[in-house]
């Protein structure tokens, strides 16, 4: 197992190293610019300007609701073993998630204006 881990590590390091040594070195203005989803970068104020916080809020909401939904998988796998208790617990859990979703929706966290 150790030999396989060493072999995989050596392959990864050698692949990255050899691509830097052997790879083409054709630099141009477009390649040296930062990538911004295919949109031409616009001039910004000194210090980078303000970035809308709405993007971060949307990402955090996605992560939170995605993690909450992951808790449905163990319930689905052991549904037969938990019987009525599992059903009541999952209804309470989904109700909690729904309350959080309704709160975010009501506060405008899902609007893209």
């Amino acid at each position: 197992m150790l030999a396989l881990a060493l072999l995989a590590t050596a392959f990864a390091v050698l692949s990255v190293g050899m691509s830097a040594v052997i790879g083409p070195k054709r630099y141009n203005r477009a390649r040296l610019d930062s990538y911004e989803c295919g949109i031409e970068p616009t001039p910004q104020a000194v210090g980078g300007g303000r970035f809308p916080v709405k993007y971060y809020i949307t990402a955090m909401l996605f992560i939170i609701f995605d993690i909450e939904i992951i808790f449905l998988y163990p319930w689905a796998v052991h549904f037969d073993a938990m019987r009525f208790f599992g059903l009541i617990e999952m209804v309470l859990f989904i109700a909690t998630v729904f309350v959080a979703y309704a709160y975010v929706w009501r506060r405008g966290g899902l609007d893209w204006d």
Side-chain angles (χ1 to χ4, degrees), residues 47-58:
R50 293 181 55 105
F51 193 82
V53 177
K54 191 167 278 208
Y55 296 115
Y56 297 113
I57 292 173
T58 304

Side-chain angles (χ1 to χ4, degrees), residues 32-93:
L32 294 175
D33 277 347
S34 60
Y35 180 70
E36 295 188 17
C37 303
I39 300 171
E40 284 293 322
T42 58
Q44 294 180 351
V46 177
R50 293 181 55 105
F51 193 82
V53 177
K54 191 167 278 208
Y55 296 115
Y56 297 113
I57 292 173
T58 304
M60 290 303 296
L61 287 174
F62 173 76
I63 291 170
I64 289 170
F65 286 117
D66 194 39
I67 289 172
E68 287 177 349
I69 297 305
I70 287 174
F71 287 116
L72 290 174
Y73 286 111
W75 174 75
V77 170
H78 292 289
F79 179 70
D80 293 339
M82 292 187 290
R83 305 206 186 265
F84 190 67
F85 175 75
L87 180 65
I88 296 299
E89 289 296 320
M90 195 48 62
V91 166
L92 291 174
F93 177 73

